């Protein structure tokens, strides 16, 4: 008996199946309304869980399912005598009994944007400049590591000066293209790398902002990053006290 079915993340489902005696359970899913699998199909293609005492609950983890989708879950089982033959004996559920195990489930949809987990340079750290002799400025690379695979959109990453304002120059990195006048960008799985071949001004600090449609996960959820404003922020007077701190900023060495 399937005693519980709960979402276990994007495209995943955890089943809890109780068996009346020691043995193995095999479970699978079909789209809602489709024909139920046979017991033999589940034995050969289902995901297995094993229990060693009567009345115990097996956990079966189903993955790779479409998100936000209705499925019908079915299970079959056999006792310990068939564990070594996987269907070689006939003491497993009949197809009719399999149909009676049906349980409706609904997978969750990923609506969570990517989360930034690491950066180079570190937040408020210093950029590591490429060797360029005595030439002024800092050619460097920025690296952003996310908690899931991402893809590029058509928006911009902005490097906005927050110190050395008379000399510092803002930089805009268009992610809709691989290269631009000031450098290039590349994405490998969950890592975004921006190479700045046009030197940044020395002894300057930059706030990094990710605008709309710049970085997206595989479900199209956007990553946004700019500043963190305190509760009660009022743009009409906050600027007279202090600006909101940047989510991420770094500096170039002197």
């Amino acid at each position: 008996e399937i005693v519980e079915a709960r979402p276990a993340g994007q495209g995943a489902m955890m089943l809890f199946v109780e068996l009346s005696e020691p043995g193995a359970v095999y479970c699978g899913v079909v789209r809602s309304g489709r024909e139920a699998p046979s017991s033999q199909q589940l034995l050969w293609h289902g995901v297995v869980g094993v229990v060693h005492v009567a009345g115990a609950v097996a956990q079966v983890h189903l993955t790779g399912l479409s998100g936000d989708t209705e499925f019908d879950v079915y299970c079959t089982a056999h006792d310990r005598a068939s564990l070594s033959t996987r269907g070689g004996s006939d003491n497993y559920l009949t197809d009719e009994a399999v149909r009676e195990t049906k349980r409706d489930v609904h997978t969750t949809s990923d609506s969570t944007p990517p989360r930034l987990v690491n950066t180079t340079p570190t937040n408020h750290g210093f950029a590591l400049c490429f060797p360029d002799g005595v030439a002024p400025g800092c050619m460097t690379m920025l690296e952003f590591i996310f908690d899931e695979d991402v893809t590029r959109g058509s928006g911009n990453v902005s490097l906005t000066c927050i110190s050395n304002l008379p000399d510092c120059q803002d930089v805009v990195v268009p992610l809709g293209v691989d290269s631009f006048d000031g450098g290039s960008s590349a994405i490998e799985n969950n890592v975004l790398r921006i190479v700045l071949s046009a030197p940044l001004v020395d002894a300057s600090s930059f706030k990094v902002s990710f605008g709309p449609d710049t970085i997206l996960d595989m479900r199209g959820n956007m990553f946004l990053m700019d500043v963190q404003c305190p509760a009660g922020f009022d743009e009409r007077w906050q600027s007279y006290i202090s600006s909101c701190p940047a989510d991420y900023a770094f500096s170039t060495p002197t």
Side-chain angles (χ1 to χ4, degrees):
E1 178 188 5
I2 303 174
V3 295
E4 185 180 2
R6 68 173 68 151
Q10 171 66 23
M13 187 70 58
M14 182 67 77
L15 306 179
F16 297 85
V17 186
E18 183 177 5
L19 298 183
S20 60
E21 58 180 302
V25 60
Y26 302 86
C27 299
V29 299
V30 296
R31 294 269 185 166
S32 182
R34 300 282 179 87
E35 183 179 355
S38 68
S39 188
Q40 194 68 38
Q41 287 174 321
L42 289 173
L43 285 168
W44 285 108
H45 303 293
V47 180
V48 65
V50 177
V51 297
H52 299 285
V53 294
V57 175
Q59 296 185 19
V60 179
H61 191 204
L62 303 174
T63 59
L65 307 176
S66 299
D68 194 20
T69 304
E70 294 284 347
F71 288 99
D72 295 334
V73 178
Y74 296 90
C75 294
T76 190
H78 56 60
D79 62 19
R80 184 171 290 170
S82 297
L83 281 177
S84 61
T85 60
R86 197 172 194 184
S89 301
D90 61 0
N91 53 344
Y92 50 89
L93 295 186
T94 65
D95 291 348
E96 181 180 357
V98 166
R99 289 190 290 271
E100 293 176 356
T101 68
K102 175 186 173 183
R103 179 148 185 168
D104 297 333
V105 298
H106 189 102
T107 54
T108 58
S109 178
D110 179 10
S111 59
T112 304
R115 184 172 62 90
L116 189 63
V117 296
N118 205 355
T119 60
T120 301
T122 59
N123 192 20
H124 300 296
F126 282 91
L128 179 63
C129 304
F130 301 146
D132 59 356
V134 295
C138 178
M139 294 187 295
T140 189
M141 183 183 73
L142 309 180
E143 184 175 82
F144 303 89
I145 301 177
F146 298 90
D147 65 342
E148 59 180 315
D149 288 354
V150 294
T151 186
R152 64 174 75 236
S154 59
N156 299 324
V157 178
S158 299
L159 280 58
T160 306
C161 299
I162 55 176
S163 74
N164 191 22
L165 299 184
D167 299 317
C168 185
Q169 295 181 344
D170 297 344
V171 176
V172 176
V173 180
L175 278 200
V177 293
D178 295 338
S179 60
F180 62 105
D181 289 343
S184 61
S185 63
I187 293 178
E188 183 180 358
N189 300 324
N190 65 328
V191 181
L192 164 66
R193 295 183 179 91
I194 298 174
V195 176
L196 298 169
S197 54
L200 300 176
V201 175
D202 291 326
S204 302
S205 297
F206 298 85
K207 175 188 76 173
V208 179
S209 304
F210 284 72
D213 196 35
T214 300
I215 286 290
L216 307 93
D217 66 11
M218 298 301 108
R219 288 281 176 176
N221 299 305
M222 288 190 302
F223 172 75
L224 297 172
M225 184 173 73
D226 190 5
V227 297
Q228 293 179 337
C229 296
F233 169 79
D234 188 330
E235 62 182 8
R236 293 173 297 179
W237 51 262
Q238 182 68 32
S239 60
Y240 292 100
I241 302 175
S242 64
S243 60
C244 298
D247 276 335
Y248 172 66
F250 71 94
S251 301
T252 52
T254 303

